[in-house]
């Protein structure tokens, strides 16, 4: 076996595309391992950890690392440009800038997912060209966010984001989305996975989403004062397809709370507000929204009592939650907090303990595996479960762990088999609870993902709140002792 | 083209995708029109230099 690294200077390709390239390379006979990454410090450290000689490469350089039989590695390295060519072979080259793109075709909305340091510049250019913006990029400063959103407001436009994971606009799914039906419930949300679960549950209950407007996690901070949330409410109020407006967020700042309350108070349509982090859950909000459109909540959404999990050893006292969805991690903490249980987290809810070293769990620990610490230079756990798998292996070596809580999020861009990425690790002798967020139309297959978990002995729940409540109940019995 | 958000929600939006190609691919597969930008970091990847050039030009 040989190892080889190839560097292409000043070559930018997006991380998802590079991951797909690496996957295709790995599938070639004779190739054992392939990575295609930008040469950031974090990525060079990852490659060094995999045993690759790390050549001099910077964050603007592309590094391809290959391991396998010499002939196979050399064949891929020689033909590298063909592997890296984006787009359709033989098609006209894509425009190199927004300006050039708009010369070929007038457009309504820019979807922007360039690295954070460059995102505000692209978003500003889009607004000035009269386009709405869906800003997936994270690491945009608060100052830039405020100035972009003020400029958008003045121009009658909206900026969804930064760090906006999900939106449904006129039947188009932007970012991470699921195959959902269109219907009478409009959604404005600052939480990506929260919007995904809400939309899936509405769909599974037989109703649908008219439009879903993402705002970015900081929109309801006092600094941003809900500029995009308010623009979203205005749009849904005017949208004839929307009969009820659901607003999903973490608790807003004091000034934003007042602004939002004032706006919702004079909304011409019924409003369902879901403030995560308190007693409210996504399930409750879905039930209320369904009621507003005359749909009775199906049984799977109602609170249920599950048989207790028996058979843990006395030393197995701790719950470890490894979440792909940040909002679901947040909601699970709220459910534990209400029961008086303490949780350590890298993304702690108010009143919970900050996990000083995100690599080392302590007591009950809930990790947002999509947090910057875990995803810098690596794919988000929804796209690629490698990081979560590594962490799961670590948790399973800890004899104090009795309960594992996992979420699996299906849909566009998500891993083709999120459950399959960890299934072989899930052991007996441990209580494992999971929720699966998705619909029957998602390519991963909701039913097959759920079945695979159940066959492995996992307690599977249709909502993240139900899975968290079940773990809470087990945790309470562990606290009480035998 | 400039449509207020309310009009956008009721129409058939056209998208420009700058960054992750998979976002554009998904929209195209769903039947929407998408213009893909072959983006590269401006000014050799230095955002401050890019901002300075924006001001000068």
């Amino acid at each position: 076996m040989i190892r080889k690294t190839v560097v292409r200077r000043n070559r930018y390709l997006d991380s998802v595309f590079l991951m797909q390239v690496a996957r295709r390379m790995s599938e070639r006979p004779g190739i054992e391992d392939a990575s295609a990454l930008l040469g950031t410090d974090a990525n060079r450290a990852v490659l060094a950890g995999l045993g690759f000689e790390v050549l001099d490469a910077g964050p603007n350089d592309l590094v391809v690392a290959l391991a396998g039989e010499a002939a196979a590695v050399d064949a891929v390295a020689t033909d590298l440009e063909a592997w890296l060519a984006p787009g359709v072979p033989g098609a006209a080259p894509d425009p190199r800038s927004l300006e050039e793109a708009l010369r070929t075709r007038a457009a309504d909305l820019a979807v922007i997912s360039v690295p954070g340091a460059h995102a505000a510049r692209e978003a500003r250019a889009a607004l000035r060209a009269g386009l709405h913006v869906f800003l997936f990029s994270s690491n945009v400063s608060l100052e830039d966010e405020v100035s972009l959103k003020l400029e958008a407001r003045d121009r009658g436009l909206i900026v969804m984001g930064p760090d906006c994971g999900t939106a449904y606009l006129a039947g188009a799914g932007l970012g991470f989305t699921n195959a959902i039906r269109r219907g009478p419930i409009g959604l404005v949300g600052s939480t990506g996975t929260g919007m995904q679960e809400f939309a899936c549950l509405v769909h599974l209950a037989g109703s649908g989403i008219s439009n879903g407007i993402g705002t970015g996690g900081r929109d309801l901070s006092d600094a941003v004062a809900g500029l995009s949330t308010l623009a979203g409410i205005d749009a849904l109020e005017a949208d004839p397809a929307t009969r009820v407006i659901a607003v999903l967020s973490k608790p807003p700042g004091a000034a934003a709370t007042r602004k939002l309350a004032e706006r919702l108070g004079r909304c011409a349509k019924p409003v369902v507000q879901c403030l995560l982090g308190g007693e409210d859950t996504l399930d409750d909000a879905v039930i209320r929204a369904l009621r507003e459109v005359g749909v009775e909540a199906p049984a799977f959404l109602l609170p249920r009592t599950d048989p207790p999990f028996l058979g843990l050893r006395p030393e197995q006292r701790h719950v470890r939650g490894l979440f792909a969805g940040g909002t679901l991690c947040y909601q699970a903490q709220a459910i534990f907090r209400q029961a008086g249980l303490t949780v350590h987290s890298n993304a702690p809810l108010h009143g919970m303990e900050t996990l000083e070293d995100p690599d080392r769990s302590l007591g009950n620990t809930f990790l947002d595996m999509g947090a910057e610490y875990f995803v810098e230079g690596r794919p988000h756990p929804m796209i690629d479960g490698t990081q979560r798998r590594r962490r799961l292996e670590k948790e399973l070596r800890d004899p104090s762990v009795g309960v594992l809580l996992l979420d699996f999020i299906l849909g566009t861009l998500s891993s083709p088999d999120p459950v399959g990425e960890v299934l072989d690790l899930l052991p007996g002798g441990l209580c494992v609870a999971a929720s699966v967020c998705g619909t029957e139309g998602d390519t991963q297959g909701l039913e097959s993902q759920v079945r695979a978990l159940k066959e492995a002995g996992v307690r599977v729940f249709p909502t993240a709140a139900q899975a968290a409540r079940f773990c809470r109940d087990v945790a309470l019995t562990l606290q009480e002792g035998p | 083209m400039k449509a207020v958000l309310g009009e956008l929600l009721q129409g058939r939006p056209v998208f420009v995708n700058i960054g992750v190609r998979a976002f554009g691919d998904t929209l195209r597969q769903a039947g929407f029109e998408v213009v893909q930008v072959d983006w590269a970091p401006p000014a050799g990847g230095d955002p401050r230099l890019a901002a300075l050039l924006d001001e000068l030009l």
Side-chain angles (χ1 to χ4, degrees):
Chain A
M1 189 179 84
I2 64 162
R3 289 175 189 279
K4 189 169 200 164
T5 51
V6 186
V7 176
R8 288 279 186 273
R9 301 269 171 221
N10 289 316
R11 184 72 182 274
Y12 177 83
L13 288 164
D14 75 76
S15 59
V16 178
F17 179 77
L18 290 176
M19 195 188 70
Q20 291 164 341
V21 169
R23 246 185 215 158
R24 282 192 286 120
M25 287 175 170
S26 308
E27 287 163 5
R28 286 282 293 219
I31 299 289
E32 286 186 20
D33 193 13
S35 303
L37 303 162
L38 293 175
T40 60
D41 290 347
N43 285 341
R44 280 188 285 118
V46 168
L47 291 176
L50 292 171
F52 286 98
E53 185 191 356
V54 182
L55 302 172
D56 178 31
N60 295 320
D61 303 327
L62 174 64
V63 184
V64 175
L66 300 160
E69 291 166 17
V73 167
D74 286 339
V76 172
T78 307
D79 202 20
L80 198 55
E81 283 312 310
W83 285 95
L84 296 176
V88 183
D94 291 327
R96 299 299 301 265
S97 67
L98 173 68
E99 199 182 5
E100 213 178 291
L102 292 175
R103 279 203 291 269
T104 68
R105 178 73 171 95
D108 304 288
L109 187 143
V111 177
I112 299 173
S113 52
V114 301
H118 302 282
R121 180 179 189 268
E122 298 297 333
R124 199 163 282 119
L127 291 173
R128 289 175 186 173
L131 273 70
H132 301 281
V133 172
F134 175 86
L135 188 51
F136 183 84
S137 312
S138 52
N139 284 330
V140 173
S141 73
L142 186 60
E143 189 187 3
D144 276 331
E145 177 172 353
V146 173
S147 84
L148 287 168
K149 287 183 171 178
L150 285 172
E151 181 155 357
R153 185 187 65 181
D154 293 346
R155 293 174 181 271
L157 299 166
I158 188 169
V159 175
M160 290 174 264
D163 207 8
C164 186
T166 300
Y168 296 96
L169 302 177
L174 304 183
F176 291 102
T177 56
N178 300 88
I180 54 153
R181 178 185 310 110
R182 293 197 77 186
I185 300 172
L187 192 52
V188 181
S190 59
T191 74
T193 38
M195 286 176 71
Q196 277 189 274
E197 189 174 69
F198 185 99
C200 287
L201 295 177
V202 164
H203 173 93
L204 295 172
S207 188
I209 300 294
S210 55
N211 288 289
I213 295 163
T215 64
R218 291 186 304 219
D219 191 66
L220 282 167
S221 64
D222 282 340
V224 188
L227 283 164
S228 297
T229 303
L230 297 172
I233 293 167
D234 289 348
L236 292 177
E237 190 179 40
D239 173 26
T242 300
R243 280 167 48 203
V244 55
I245 301 171
V247 182
L248 306 184
S249 74
K250 293 176 183 174
T257 299
R258 282 194 297 278
K259 275 197 174 169
L260 185 60
E262 184 278 322
R263 178 63 187 91
L264 296 180
R266 60 181 170 82
C267 185
K269 291 181 178 175
V271 174
V272 168
Q273 198 180 357
C274 177
L275 285 182
L276 295 166
E279 288 184 13
D280 214 2
T281 62
L282 290 163
D283 306 22
D284 300 329
V286 170
I287 291 170
R288 294 200 299 275
L290 289 170
R291 197 182 298 141
E292 290 289 348
V293 295
V295 176
E296 197 180 329
F300 75 82
L301 276 176
L302 302 176
R304 59 191 242 190
T305 309
D306 287 274
F309 186 89
L310 304 170
L312 292 177
R313 296 186 307 276
E315 68 272 23
Q316 292 180 290
R317 309 190 72 81
H318 296 141
V319 183
R320 300 283 155 83
L322 306 182
F323 293 88
T327 306
L328 307 184
C329 176
Y330 193 79
Q331 178 179 254
Q333 289 182 61
I335 287 168
F336 268 58
R337 187 176 64 183
Q338 281 163 46
L341 292 163
T342 300
V343 170
H344 297 79
S345 178
N346 62 329
L349 183 68
H350 180 70
M352 290 304 196
E353 301 286 334
T354 303
L355 195 63
E356 296 298 340
D357 178 359
D359 287 326
R360 197 177 300 238
S361 296
L362 201 63
N364 296 328
T365 293
F366 287 176
L367 287 174
D368 174 4
M369 298 291 299
E372 204 56 43
Y373 178 83
F374 291 111
V375 299
E376 198 193 346
R378 304 161 184 161
H380 191 281
M382 275 161 59
I383 300 176
D384 181 298
T386 307
Q387 294 298 320
R388 183 156 78 157
R389 185 181 164 87
R390 286 198 188 123
R391 185 53 176 253
L392 188 56
E393 285 172 323
K394 196 169 176 179
E395 300 299 344
L396 292 173
R397 288 195 293 271
D398 181 345
S400 79
V401 175
V403 185
L404 282 172
L405 174 55
L406 302 168
D407 60 349
F408 295 95
I409 299 165
L410 316 184
T412 57
L413 279 191
S414 283
S415 156
D417 183 11
V419 168
E421 285 177 335
V422 295
L423 198 62
D424 63 303
L425 293 180
L426 299 179
L430 203 65
C431 172
V432 186
S435 63
V436 182
C437 169
T439 75
E440 72 286 352
D442 289 326
T443 51
Q444 295 86 353
L446 176 60
E447 203 184 317
S448 60
Q449 294 281 302
V450 169
R451 194 185 325 118
L453 286 168
K454 283 186 174 167
E455 284 172 3
V458 176
R459 299 282 186 103
V460 188
F461 297 84
T463 80
Q466 286 181 20
R469 284 197 195 104
F470 170 74
C471 291
R472 171 202 63 193
D473 293 344
V474 179
L476 286 170
T477 61
L478 295 178
Q479 205 178 41
E480 286 161 11
Chain B
M1 191 188 298
K2 180 174 168 180
V4 296
L5 185 58
E7 289 168 18
L8 182 83
L9 300 184
Q10 293 161 49
R12 185 85 183 157
V14 175
F15 299 95
V16 177
N17 187 41
I18 310 169
V20 177
R21 283 178 173 271
F23 287 143
D25 296 341
T26 306
L27 285 165
R28 213 172 282 119
Q29 282 157 18
F32 288 88
E33 209 177 324
V34 184
V35 186
Q36 175 68 44
V37 171
D38 186 14
W39 187 87
D46 182 343
R48 282 201 284 187
L49 183 58
L52 195 64
L53 288 172
D54 285 345
E55 278 179 34
L56 291 172
L57 295 174

